[in-house]
Amino acid sequence: MGRFRAFAVALVLLYPVVSAGAGERPCGSREPIASVFELGPVLYSCWKPPPGTENLEITLRFALRRDGSMIGNPRASYAKLGQDMPLKRAFVASVLEALYQNLPLPITDDFGGAIAGRPITLLFSTAAESTTADAAL
């Protein structure tokens, strides 16, 4: 437990990577985000994995300011990218493009105060057996 800071929240959200339905947010939606449960779907809304990148995964870790902008650059904390360099690059580029398309995030003042500076971890996965993606705060 020594690796975890006192402010870390052990909350993991599970939801479909590719979801359909009335609750789905369109890419680039500026509707304010008021809770951690809304954060993942917003960040995944613009992600379109390139063809041929099945079974690739990357986990990014980053933090946000209270205004929804990113502090520094995201860091990969885990990657399963295979051996094909062009596919690796295309996959990572698609993940980063999806992330940056949403920034700054339209977060409420209260939620901004709650998450400001805290690490956020997102798993982007195209694994065929995986129907969920994890987002942790």
Side-chain angles (χ1 to χ4, degrees):
M1 280 305 265
R3 296 184 323 170
F4 299 100
R5 295 183 169 212
F7 60 78
V9 177
L11 177 63
V12 176
L13 307 175
L14 298 174
Y15 51 88
V17 172
V18 179
S19 61
E24 185 177 322
R25 282 183 181 249
C27 177
S29 171
R30 301 316 294 164
E31 183 180 333
I33 302 166
S35 76
V36 70
F37 298 105
E38 298 172 39
L39 189 59
V42 169
L43 291 170
Y44 288 110
S45 68
C46 295
W47 187 42
K48 294 179 181 111
T53 58
E54 292 77 22
N55 297 316
L56 300 185
E57 299 178 339
I58 191 166
T59 300
L60 296 181
R61 188 174 174 111
F62 58 92
L64 299 172
R65 292 182 182 89
R66 133 182 330 267
D67 67 358
S69 61
M70 189 181 298
I71 300 171
N73 293 313
R75 297 194 180 242
S77 60
Y78 165 79
K80 179 180 141 190
L81 298 175
Q83 300 299 317
D84 187 323
M85 190 58 76
L87 283 180
K88 282 187 208 184
R89 287 186 179 136
F91 181 79
V92 172
S94 74
V95 168
L96 293 174
E97 181 181 344
L99 184 60
Y100 284 114
Q101 276 183 320
N102 284 299
L103 296 175
L105 289 171
I107 55 180
T108 63
D109 290 337
D110 288 343
F111 186 53
I115 66 166
R118 296 197 172 145
I120 298 168
T121 304
L122 276 132
L123 168 65
F124 289 85
S125 176
T126 57
E129 68 276 0
S130 175
T131 58
T132 61
D134 297 337
L137 174 66

